[in-house]
Amino acid sequence: MASISSVGPSSGLDVNSIVTATQGTASRPPFDHQLSEADAHQAQLSSLGKLHSTLSTFLDAADKLSQPHAWAGTHATSSDPATVTALSHNAAAANYSVAVHSLASAQTSSTGTYPDADSSTGVGTLHIEIGAWSASQATFTNNPNWPKSSIVVGPHDNSLERIRDKINAAGMGVVATVISDATGSRLVLRSTSTGADNGFKVSTDADQPDTQTPDANQAGMRIDTQAATDATGTVNGVAIQSSTNTIDKAVDGLTFQFNKVSDSPVHIAVASDTEHIKKAIHDFARSYNTLNAMGQPAETSTALQPSPLSKSLAEIGLSFGANGAMNIDDTRLASALSEPPAGIGALSSLAQHFGQLVNQLARDAQPSPPGADMGGYTTRQLSQYRTLENSG
């Protein structure tokens, strides 16, 4: 075979053509076709991701409307929220007249005045018992659920501040503070809970009485005592009493909050929470229409055909346009929720009719089963591509 020792004109080779062809090959991506397919797959995956997210939103909205409590919910309003508020936990619709006679309070007791917060008291053992005082505050009945608690006050920790810290660290059912003003400092104790049964009694076993040790009254915290009290009042004329200002057992499903003593009865109205229902219906329609605009549900013809269901839905203001979009007539919906029309009969029937629509549309919107065709790609192919994409 003849060899070529030169690439000059005498070699007979078209060097310029060879170089041009080589450069063209070098500048072209080696796998442009595969990359194009990958881009198409990525676009398909992005579309499927958006579809999945939109479908999840739709099914969540549908699920909320399929729950009985979504339609049975009620809302409580007060004619004087500064005095009494109410919170409904699906309480039956009704009206209540509430009077507040007294508020629940915690017992507060203080010592006599000392020169300052660092002043020393006597030493010994301080006892605290939780329970109830008689109306005259003369006798005390211990709460068996709260055993007597004690702290030892020694010569190096008998200042008001140190005693305060020891009481608070012991978890004795009271909170201790030191309050100081121009007259001096006082140790103040307050029950951690309100109510007449959550009062407390303080006593001491003084080891070294001296001029700085409080007298018997001071040692027993019986100076400047504010007694613990229960909340009292009436609901529709029936007397109620509570250890707290939150009354949650007077009416089933309804909680009253006493804020202050009332000058006159407060009106509490419990009615259907139509605003909550309307919002849930609008959220459902919005998510359905978003899904419909993406081409899902694939079949909405059943919802468009004249039927008892579509007629009942029309009575509450729901209809479908020619493009399958769900429309809401707010005026008709508000009327249906406040006074259900004769064709529906009651709010529970309205919920049943709407539930049929929810179930039908949710069924139509379910995604294709594994292996079904999705824009030319099966779910298995897309899964394989995702694996290849992640490994690359």
Side-chain angles (χ1 to χ4, degrees):
M1 177 184 295
S3 62
I4 299 174
S5 59
S6 173
V7 294
S10 61
S11 66
L13 293 176
D14 188 350
V15 175
N16 291 334
S17 297
I18 294 175
V19 171
T20 299
T22 303
Q23 289 176 336
T25 302
S27 63
R28 185 170 60 249
F31 304 109
D32 55 350
H33 178 67
Q34 290 89 333
L35 288 176
S36 178
E37 285 190 350
D39 290 342
H41 281 217
Q42 183 61 48
Q44 181 70 18
L45 285 174
S46 178
S47 297
L48 287 174
K50 292 179 181 178
L51 176 60
H52 180 272
S53 176
T54 304
L55 179 61
S56 295
T57 301
F58 166 71
L59 294 177
D60 287 344
D63 181 65
K64 289 179 181 179
L65 283 173
S66 68
Q67 303 299 323
H69 62 73
W71 299 87
T74 54
H75 177 69
T77 56
S78 170
S79 64
D80 184 5
T83 301
V84 182
T85 57
L87 179 64
S88 174
H89 308 280
N90 294 334
N95 294 309
Y96 301 92
S97 177
V98 181
V100 182
H101 298 158
S102 66
L103 296 179
S105 63
Q107 178 181 329
T108 302
S109 299
S110 67
T111 65
T113 302
Y114 288 82
D116 54 49
D118 197 41
S119 297
S120 297
T121 68
V123 296
T125 304
L126 185 71
H127 308 288
I128 296 181
E129 300 171 76
I130 303 297
W133 288 96
S134 62
S136 64
Q137 300 291 296
T139 59
F140 182 82
T141 303
N142 184 60
N143 185 336
N145 296 321
W146 277 91
K148 180 188 291 186
S149 301
S150 304
I151 62 169
V152 176
V153 179
H156 301 294
D157 53 14
N158 64 339
S159 70
L160 296 182
E161 290 181 333
R162 295 297 296 274
I163 294 175
R164 172 200 63 194
D165 295 342
K166 296 193 79 168
I167 290 174
N168 290 338
M172 305 170 78
V174 298
V175 175
T177 57
V178 174
I179 296 180
S180 301
D181 58 18
T183 64
S185 299
R186 292 167 293 279
L187 179 65
V188 180
L189 304 183
R190 181 181 176 85
S191 299
T192 55
S193 300
T194 59
D197 290 337
N198 295 309
F200 60 88
K201 176 184 177 181
V202 180
S203 58
T204 60
D205 294 334
D207 291 338
Q208 299 177 5
D210 56 32
T211 57
Q212 290 300 317
T213 302
D215 60 25
N217 269 348
Q218 290 175 315
M221 295 291 172
R222 302 300 298 150
I223 290 180
D224 297 332
T225 294
Q226 174 185 299
T229 59
D230 284 339
T232 60
T234 61
V235 175
N236 286 354
V238 178
I240 58 172
Q241 184 172 346
S242 170
S243 62
T244 72
N245 293 312
T246 300
I247 318 298
D248 57 5
K249 293 181 173 58
V251 178
D252 187 33
L254 193 61
T255 298
F256 299 105
Q257 181 65 43
F258 287 3
N259 300 319
K260 68 177 184 178
V261 174
S262 60
D263 296 325
S264 59
V266 177
H267 179 68
I268 302 294
V270 181
S272 296
D273 191 359
T274 56
E275 290 303 315
H276 176 78
I277 299 174
K278 283 193 287 187
K279 181 180 184 304
I281 292 176
H282 273 275
D283 289 345
F284 173 79
R286 188 180 303 108
S287 62
Y288 173 81
N289 288 337
T290 301
L291 196 62
N292 180 69
M294 298 178 70
Q296 293 281 339
E299 299 178 5
T300 58
S301 57
T302 54
L304 300 174
Q305 298 299 324
S307 66
L309 172 59
S310 63
K311 291 179 181 179
S312 296
L313 293 172
E315 289 180 352
I316 64 173
L318 270 69
S319 61
F320 291 86
N323 61 350
M326 184 185 299
N327 302 314
I328 298 178
D329 183 331
D330 285 312
T331 301
R332 185 171 292 183
L333 177 61
S335 176
L337 292 176
S338 60
E339 296 181 6
I344 297 177
L347 197 60
S348 59
S349 296
L350 187 155
Q352 182 178 5
H353 282 83
F354 202 91
Q356 294 177 29
L357 173 68
V358 168
N359 292 332
Q360 177 177 295
L361 296 183
R363 183 170 56 251
D364 289 342
Q366 289 295 337
S368 302
D373 186 84
M374 293 183 180
Y377 299 95
T378 66
T379 53
R380 179 174 299 178
Q381 289 172 331
L382 293 172
S383 176
Q384 291 172 341
Y385 170 71
R386 192 177 290 112
T387 301
L388 291 172
E389 182 189 51
N390 292 335
S391 63

